[in-house]
Amino acid sequence: MAAHYTLSRRDRNPAGTKASALDTPALVIDLDAMERNLCRMARYASQHKLLLRPHFKMHRCTDIAKLLLAEGGAVGFCVQKLGEAETLVGAGINNIYVSNEIVDPRKLARFAELAKAVFAMKAGPAPTSDVAICCDSVEGVERLAKALRHAGAAGVRVMVEIDVGQNRCGCLPGDGVAVDIAKAVVAHSDVMTFGGIQAYHGAAQHHRAPEQRRETISKVVDLAKQTKAAIEAAGIPVPLVTGAGSGTFTLEATSGLYGELQPGSYLVYDRDYADNVADESQPHFEHALFVATRVMSTGSKLNMAVVDAGHKSHAVDSGQPTVYGRSDLSFRNGGDEHGILEHRHTIDGAEAPLPVPLLNELVYLVPGHCDPTFNLHDTAVGLRGGLDHGVVEKTFVIDARGCCY
Amino acid sequence: MAAHYTLSRRDRNPAGTKASALDTPALVIDLDAMERNLCRMARYASQHKLLLRPHFKMHRCTDIAKLLLAEGGAVGFCVQKLGEAETLVGAGINNIYVSNEIVDPRKLARFAELAKAVFAMKAGPAPTSDVAICCDSVEGVERLAKALRHAGAAGVRVMVEIDVGQNRCGCLPGDGVAVDIAKAVVAHSDVMTFGGIQAYHGAAQHHRAPEQRRETISKVVDLAKQTKAAIEAAGIPVPLVTGAGSGTFTLEATSGLYGELQPGSYLVYDRDYADNVADESQPHFEHALFVATRVMSTGSKLNMAVVDAGHKSHAVDSGQPTVYGRSDLSFRNGGDEHGILEHRHTIDGAEAPLPVPLLNELVYLVPGHCDPTFNLHDTAVGLRGGLDHGVVEKTFVIDARGCCY
């Protein structure tokens, strides 16, 4: 049984499987749509002469990372977690930025080993070998320096993260602690170099109205500019300001301040991003990530269908999914393993129920949030030729799934 | 790097690690508390002469399943997904009830193979070998019979699931389709036997007030009684009514109707269950599942701490976690990988901030919902001796994590 089990876990939808025959629930990537998204962002970054460093946390799949390096214009990756970085380096990828703080000594020791491994690589798929990390306290710099020195690692770029209104990590912007951090980095120039400023505003990505996003990012840019000026006034050059996500990157890109963009979600998009009112300056992105699900019961009601995907198959932190191509159907949470499809509209006075999908019929859900949805699945199947008539071309292993440490 | 990565994925907190030294984020089981919960439910079921069939979907860990069989009074397990059943059978466990519908022919073929594998076992940890499943349509029975016959499988118990107000799966209760389903099962007595009625009300588990739960379950019991009478009136004995969860099981248990209880969450409890106003007839259960997390940044505010666990480490479908033993602290969602701790209270006019945990300090979160939280982690560490001074005794592999198919 164990062997059979392993088989079913990996090979339920092998290459050649028709879309219409997908075993469910299954995480599905529309390869054509994903590749169009990938090209649009690569072109945008290139046209604006900006570095593109997509966020690996979004998909946690090294095969997708390799595609972004080969064809998507990526210079390397952002990660939030050391386990993600280790997975990338384990796959031979040689340009990593931990856009987050690490202060635990054991984790810093792992990070130092990772840095040594990257710089020991003779070559890699990224154009240059690079390891960078964020600090938002002098204490963080001191701990990092100690770990690097202890491991005999050097050459790590350190970015000072400033709080630009995200109210999460990041020190106060301006001429206080941010400058102290930069000075501390310079004081440890035997093991690290000062890389510049991390200035990212997560909440702004989902401000619905373009003018709201413009207003917030305008403040972000002001705070980053002030901080850059303060650090430079202390005699320390600021080589780079980095940040931006899939909802606001055109604003950071045209600020004249940012040299690098960190979006991730653009590659597959999700329901939450699609709920934003589009900014005309932004390239068009398409949904490319879906959860294929089938009707497993029609329950006891006439116009209801129960599907085999619940919130163990799609993340609900940003709300419920929608049913792709079926705006007439609503999706209601049915628990960990179930979803409920119902008609949005009823016909007044009509006896006949409105049509819902039949027993075992396939529908595609558009997840509310792509990042944690990828993180629920071991694999994603890549469909070529569309959701209706496409065929599975390959299976992506989500090899950093669960790497939350 | 690949070998190092694998090591960090599995052995971050090996046996012997002190609680105070846990690498984070980590899913933590307080073994003493879990074993007390396990004993309390075993005693309750035994005293009421009821079968106890805990839900495997809660933890998806076969080592915990074996503990429930050995010491927790379990006769076998409920599962919601075939992949869970395959994992259990792969681990040698021989008593499985799929308390859910399966209609896809490929899945039914897998189910038939599973049934054959169970009945081919000479012995197993469960007192008897058994395979059961739910149907809520005659079509479902026909499809199942075809698959069993094709595989040469037989002896599967089939339960008719009725909709008792859950508004999800389950046919109409009473003397209509439920009786037709029972008749269809009897018509295929070469491959299946009629096992009785599945009557579970999920939403009732989290009705906050005891009187609200009593009122709902009273209706559930009435509907199940009517259905039982209707099936018996058609000449078909109803050997069992099964259902109940950790919020209402005392009501089903004392109804005189139910012969089997299916709770899962009692084993570790969660914030959502603890938010119920307790019913005095219910045994006391303790929190035994936690996410250990550490402060990774103190951000730019004076009374705030950012921890390294976000909703990729704990499920938020039932709301945010609480901070164990620190009712003075609130937990705010900081995204996929971050959580924000803040003081619930500020001192009017005071300059000094209220104390929050320091950089790299450990706190334990009580997840909002245990089932999908287990499903985010590859492993859980079992602490013996309490959260403060305990030591890791063993690591549980969540071996059916991600088995959503």
Side-chain angles (χ1 to χ4, degrees):
Chain A
M1 282 310 298
H4 172 222
Y5 163 67
T6 305
L7 183 68
S8 74
R9 202 169 167 96
R10 290 288 179 201
D11 295 337
R12 291 183 299 133
N13 292 304
T17 303
K18 287 182 182 173
S20 58
L22 283 171
D23 190 48
T24 61
L27 190 66
V28 170
I29 295 171
D30 179 335
L31 292 173
D32 306 294
M34 181 173 82
E35 289 164 10
R36 286 191 292 269
N37 290 339
L38 175 136
C39 286
R40 286 169 189 140
M41 184 61 91
R43 195 182 315 130
Y44 184 90
S46 165
Q47 283 170 347
H48 290 77
K49 299 188 173 29
L50 293 166
L51 300 174
L52 178 63
R53 182 180 290 281
H55 228 306
F56 182 65
K57 78 189 270 293
M58 194 279 281
H59 49 84
R60 289 186 161 180
C61 167
T62 57
D63 275 356
I64 294 177
K66 287 174 183 171
L67 182 68
L68 281 160
L69 284 174
E71 300 182 27
V75 295
F77 297 96
C78 295
V79 301
Q80 292 296 75
K81 292 288 184 173
L82 188 52
E84 297 172 324
E86 288 172 336
T87 309
L88 281 168
V89 176
I93 292 173
N94 57 314
N95 193 311
I96 314 284
Y97 170 33
V98 181
S99 56
N100 205 5
E101 282 68 25
I102 299 179
V103 297
D104 182 274
R106 288 160 303 179
K107 285 191 168 66
L108 285 169
R110 278 165 58 200
F111 175 77
E113 289 302 321
L114 183 101
K116 280 164 65 180
V118 167
F119 292 127
M121 285 181 188
K122 295 294 176 207
T128 53
S129 287
D130 190 23
V131 178
I133 190 168
C134 278
C135 286
D136 66 358
S137 66
V138 172
E139 169 77 17
V141 177
E142 297 301 330
R143 287 178 179 225
L144 173 63
K146 189 176 170 187
L148 293 175
R149 214 164 276 133
H150 186 262
V156 170
R157 276 194 307 133
V158 177
M159 311 296 293
V160 55
E161 181 172 15
I162 57 172
D163 180 1
V164 287
Q166 165 95 328
N167 290 324
R168 198 168 71 182
C169 301
C171 66
L172 277 176
D175 62 1
V177 66
V179 178
D180 295 340
I181 292 169
K183 286 179 180 169
V185 173
V186 171
H188 292 296
S189 61
D190 55 323
V191 289
M192 54 179 73
T193 61
F194 182 63
I197 296 170
Q198 161 81 15
Y200 174 73
H201 196 301
Q205 307 308 315
H206 295 97
H207 289 346
R208 296 306 180 209
E211 53 273 23
Q212 214 184 346
R213 300 196 291 275
R214 270 198 295 278
E215 192 182 323
T216 300
I217 298 303
S218 157
K219 288 177 194 161
V220 168
V221 169
D222 282 349
L223 292 169
K225 268 186 186 157
Q226 290 164 24
T227 309
K228 182 169 185 277
I231 295 172
E232 287 172 343
I236 302 171
V238 177
L240 183 71
V241 177
T242 180
S246 296
T248 67
F249 67 92
T250 57
L251 302 167
E252 284 94 340
T254 54
S255 67
L257 183 71
Y258 282 69
E260 184 177 85
L261 305 177
Q262 305 176 357
S265 303
Y266 72 93
L267 195 61
V268 297
Y269 238 46
D270 56 31
R271 198 225 73 243
D272 198 21
Y273 270 111
D275 284 352
N276 278 1
V277 178
D279 184 321
E280 299 209 342
S281 70
Q282 188 171 319
H284 171 67
F285 297 115
E286 306 167 53
H287 289 307
L289 186 74
F290 305 90
V291 173
T293 182
R294 287 183 187 275
V295 177
M296 51 171 288
S297 168
T298 52
S300 67
K301 308 278 187 305
L302 283 174
N303 60 343
M304 183 179 95
V306 185
V307 295
D308 64 1
H311 53 246
K312 279 181 182 167
S313 299
H314 51 260
V316 295
D317 56 279
S318 301
Q320 297 297 323
T322 49
V323 186
Y324 188 72
R326 291 294 301 266
S327 57
D328 57 321
L329 295 175
S330 67
F331 180 96
R332 178 160 61 77
N333 185 11
D336 294 358
E337 292 92 0
H338 300 86
I340 318 283
L341 305 182
E342 283 168 320
H343 256 282
R344 289 187 189 279
H345 311 289
T346 52
I347 300 172
D348 284 344
E351 285 289 316
L354 288 162
V356 289
L358 303 173
L359 208 61
N360 214 32
E361 192 172 326
L362 181 80
V363 298
Y364 291 99
L365 306 178
V366 180
H369 189 184
C370 48
D371 308 33
T373 296
F374 265 108
N375 191 52
L376 290 168
H377 293 265
D378 289 309
T379 57
V381 293
L383 274 187
R384 178 71 68 195
L387 298 184
D388 291 330
H389 304 293
V391 171
V392 174
E393 183 173 291
K394 69 168 287 183
T395 296
F396 294 90
V397 176
I398 320 296
D399 39 2
R401 186 215 57 72
C403 285
C404 56
Y405 41 83
Chain B
M1 282 311 298
H4 172 221
Y5 164 67
T6 305
L7 183 70
S8 76
R9 202 168 168 96
R10 288 290 179 199
D11 294 336
R12 291 184 299 133
N13 292 304
T17 303
K18 287 181 181 173
S20 58
L22 283 170
D23 190 48
T24 61
L27 191 65
V28 170
I29 295 171
D30 179 336
L31 292 173
D32 306 294
M34 181 173 83
E35 288 164 10
R36 286 191 292 269
N37 290 339
L38 175 135
C39 285
R40 286 170 188 138
M41 184 60 92
R43 195 181 317 130
Y44 184 91
S46 166
Q47 282 170 346
H48 289 78
K49 298 188 173 34
L50 293 167
L51 300 175
L52 178 62
R53 183 180 289 280
H55 227 305
F56 181 66
K57 79 190 269 294
M58 193 279 282
H59 49 86
R60 289 186 161 179
C61 167
T62 57
D63 275 357
I64 294 177
K66 287 174 184 171
L67 182 69
L68 282 160
L69 286 172
E71 300 181 28
V75 296
F77 297 96
C78 296
V79 301
Q80 291 296 75
K81 291 288 185 173
L82 189 52
E84 296 173 324
E86 288 171 335
T87 309
L88 280 168
V89 176
I93 292 173
N94 58 313
N95 193 313
I96 314 285
Y97 170 32
V98 180
S99 55
N100 205 4
E101 283 67 25
I102 299 179
V103 298
D104 183 273
R106 289 159 303 179
K107 284 191 169 66
L108 285 169
R110 277 165 59 200
F111 175 77
E113 290 304 319
L114 182 99
K116 280 166 63 182
V118 168
F119 291 128
M121 286 180 189
K122 295 294 176 209
T128 54
S129 288
D130 189 24
V131 177
I133 190 169
C134 278
C135 285
D136 67 357
S137 66
V138 171
E139 170 76 18
V141 177
E142 297 301 330
R143 287 178 178 224
L144 173 63
K146 190 176 170 188
L148 292 175
R149 214 165 275 134
H150 186 262
V156 170
R157 277 193 307 133
V158 177
M159 311 296 292
V160 56
E161 180 172 16
I162 57 172
D163 180 0
V164 287
Q166 166 94 327
N167 289 323
R168 197 168 71 183
C169 301
C171 67
L172 277 176
D175 63 0
V177 66
V179 178
D180 295 341
I181 292 169
K183 285 179 179 169
V185 173
V186 170
H188 293 295
S189 60
D190 55 323
V191 289
M192 55 179 73
T193 61
F194 182 63
I197 296 169
Q198 162 82 14
Y200 174 72
H201 196 301
Q205 306 309 315
H206 295 96
H207 290 345
R208 296 304 180 211
E211 53 272 27
Q212 214 184 347
R213 299 197 291 275
R214 271 197 295 277
E215 191 182 324
T216 300
I217 298 303
S218 156
K219 287 178 194 160
V220 168
V221 169
D222 282 349
L223 293 169
K225 269 187 186 159
Q226 290 164 23
T227 309
K228 182 169 185 278
I231 295 172
E232 287 172 343
I236 302 172
V238 177
L240 184 71
V241 178
T242 181
S246 296
T248 67
F249 67 93
T250 58
L251 302 167
E252 284 94 340
T254 54
S255 67
L257 182 70
Y258 282 69
E260 184 177 84
L261 306 178
Q262 305 175 357
S265 303
Y266 73 92
L267 196 60
V268 298
Y269 239 45
D270 57 30
R271 198 225 73 243
D272 199 20
Y273 269 112
D275 284 352
N276 278 1
V277 177
D279 184 319
E280 299 209 344
S281 70
Q282 189 171 319
H284 171 67
F285 297 115
E286 307 166 53
H287 290 307
L289 186 74
F290 305 90
V291 173
T293 182
R294 288 183 187 274
V295 177
M296 50 171 288
S297 168
T298 52
S300 66
K301 307 277 188 304
L302 283 175
N303 61 343
M304 184 179 95
V306 185
V307 294
D308 63 1
H311 52 246
K312 279 180 182 167
S313 299
H314 52 259
V316 295
D317 56 279
S318 300
Q320 296 298 323
T322 50
V323 186
Y324 187 71
R326 292 294 302 264
S327 57
D328 57 322
L329 295 176
S330 67
F331 180 96
R332 179 160 61 78
N333 186 11
D336 294 359
E337 291 93 0
H338 300 86
I340 318 282
L341 305 183
E342 282 167 320
H343 256 281
R344 288 189 190 279
H345 312 289
T346 52
I347 300 171
D348 282 345
E351 285 290 313
L354 287 162
V356 289
L358 304 173
L359 208 61
N360 213 33
E361 192 173 324
L362 181 81
V363 297
Y364 292 99
L365 305 178
V366 180
H369 189 184
C370 48
D371 308 33
T373 296
F374 265 108
N375 192 52
L376 290 168
H377 292 265
D378 289 310
T379 57
V381 292
L383 273 188
R384 178 72 68 194
L387 298 185
D388 291 329
H389 303 294
V391 171
V392 174
E393 182 172 293
K394 70 168 287 184
T395 296
F396 294 90
V397 176
I398 319 296
D399 40 1
R401 186 214 56 72
C403 285
C404 57
Y405 40 85

